[in-house]
Amino acid sequence: DTEVTQTPKHLVMGMTNKKSLKCEQHMGHRAMYWYKQKAKKPPELMFVYSYEKLSINESVPSRFSPECPNSSLLNLHLHALQPEDSALYLCASSQDAALGLRGADTQYFGPGTRLTVL
Amino acid sequence: QKEVEQNSGPLSVPEGAIASLNCTYSDRGSQSFFWYRQYSGKSPELIMFIYSNGDKEDGRFTAQLNKASQYVSLLIRDSQPSDSATYLCAVNGGTSGTYKYIFGTGTRLKVLA
C-alpha cells in the first residue's frame, strides 16, 4: 500500500482566517514533505520532516507553520495568507532518504489540497 | 542552465505509437531518477524510478538512464489516450542532498485517438 491521504480536498479561506491542512501515511515512512504547486509548474518543496524533526525549511514565510505530531501525521497550519498563496498543496512521504538504500528516497504523493485564498 | 531540463511539449503521438520523453540533468553526483505522471488538477503519481545505467521495464513503460551523458528517458509503448498527461522527471541525491528532488518543468503528452 502506497497511500498518502490529505484533508481537506478543497479549502477556501479569507486572508484573516486560520486553517490547517492534514496529511497521513501508514506505510511506516520516516520522511514527510510539504510541497506547493502552481498551475503548469513543478512542485516546489516547502518543508521536510525526518524522524518527526524539521530538517528542511525552504525559506517559507512564517504564515505557513508545519507540525509533525507523530511519524504518521503531518500538518500545515495556515494564518494570514495572501491571494498568491492559492495553489495545490501536496504532501509526500518516503521511507527514509538518508538510509542510502535504493528506493528509500522514493516519494509518494497524496492527492493534494486545492487552496484558494480570497 | 536549468538543473533538470525537459521539453515542455506538447508531444503529440497517435494511439498505439511509442512516446519518448527525455530529461537531462546537470548534477553529475545525482543518484536516483524518477518519472511521475500528473493529470491536470491531480497530484503526481509515481511511474518508475531508476538508479543504474541501462533500461528498466515495467509493463508498457521503460526508463533508460545514461549517467555518462546525464540523461534519463521514459518510453511509453502502445500509447493510449489515457496516457495524456504531464510527465515530470525528478532527480535526487546530488549536491542538494537526499531529501530534495530537483524537478524538471514537465513534458505534456497528448495521445491522439
Side-chain angles (χ1 to χ4, degrees):
Chain A
D1 183 11
T2 56
E3 187 178 26
V4 177
T5 59
Q6 289 187 246
T7 56
K9 286 187 171 54
H10 302 275
L11 179 62
V12 179
M13 61 186 290
M15 289 190 284
T16 58
N17 292 158
K18 284 186 182 182
K19 296 286 185 184
S20 297
L21 310 184
K22 296 186 185 303
C23 173
E24 190 166 6
Q25 56 88 14
H26 293 289
M27 296 178 278
H29 288 176
R30 303 315 300 265
M32 296 185 76
Y33 310 75
W34 279 116
Y35 286 88
K36 172 183 177 180
Q37 188 176 26
K38 298 282 244 181
K40 300 192 189 303
K41 299 287 188 184
E44 181 184 334
L45 185 65
M46 300 174 72
F47 303 103
V48 180
Y49 274 82
S50 174
Y51 290 86
E52 300 158 50
K53 290 191 175 2
L54 183 65
S55 62
I56 295 178
N57 176 342
E58 289 286 284
S59 302
V60 179
S62 60
R63 57 186 184 268
F64 296 92
S65 175
E67 178 195 21
C68 188
N70 60 54
S71 59
S72 301
L73 289 173
L74 187 65
N75 298 321
L76 186 63
H77 303 298
L78 314 173
H79 174 54
L81 294 192
Q82 304 297 308
E84 58 264 29
D85 296 320
S86 298
L88 180 66
Y89 286 83
L90 296 163
C91 174
S93 70
S94 68
Q95 190 177 358
D96 180 2
L99 283 177
L101 300 175
R102 290 192 169 182
D105 63 340
T106 304
Q107 293 182 27
Y108 297 91
F109 286 85
T113 294
R114 175 72 58 189
L115 174 67
T116 303
V117 182
L118 301 176
Chain B
Q1 181 191 5
K2 290 184 184 175
E3 294 177 89
V4 176
E5 294 206 43
Q6 295 181 255
N7 189 320
S8 61
L11 172 66
S12 295
V13 299
E15 184 175 358
I18 295 175
S20 178
L21 306 164
N22 299 312
C23 171
T24 59
Y25 60 94
S26 60
D27 187 342
R28 280 200 171 273
S30 300
Q31 300 291 318
S32 45
F33 307 85
F34 305 87
W35 283 100
Y36 288 86
R37 176 175 62 196
Q38 188 170 26
Y39 294 111
S40 181
K42 302 295 186 183
S43 66
E45 172 192 7
L46 179 71
I47 297 175
M48 295 185 73
F49 57 81
I50 186 167
Y51 293 84
S52 303
N53 280 325
D55 295 0
K56 180 181 178 183
E57 188 174 317
D58 184 0
R60 296 188 295 115
F61 299 98
T62 299
Q64 299 175 317
L65 176 61
N66 184 322
K67 288 187 178 180
S69 301
Q70 295 176 246
Y71 82 78
V72 56
S73 62
L74 180 70
L75 301 179
I76 306 175
R77 288 181 298 281
D78 188 24
S79 295
Q80 301 297 308
S82 58
D83 294 325
S84 298
T86 295
Y87 289 79
L88 293 165
C89 171
V91 174
N92 196 30
T95 54
S96 298
T98 53
Y99 290 107
K100 188 174 176 180
Y101 279 11
I102 307 301
F103 281 95
T105 52
T107 297
R108 191 156 65 96
L109 174 67
K110 294 176 75 171
V111 180
L112 307 172

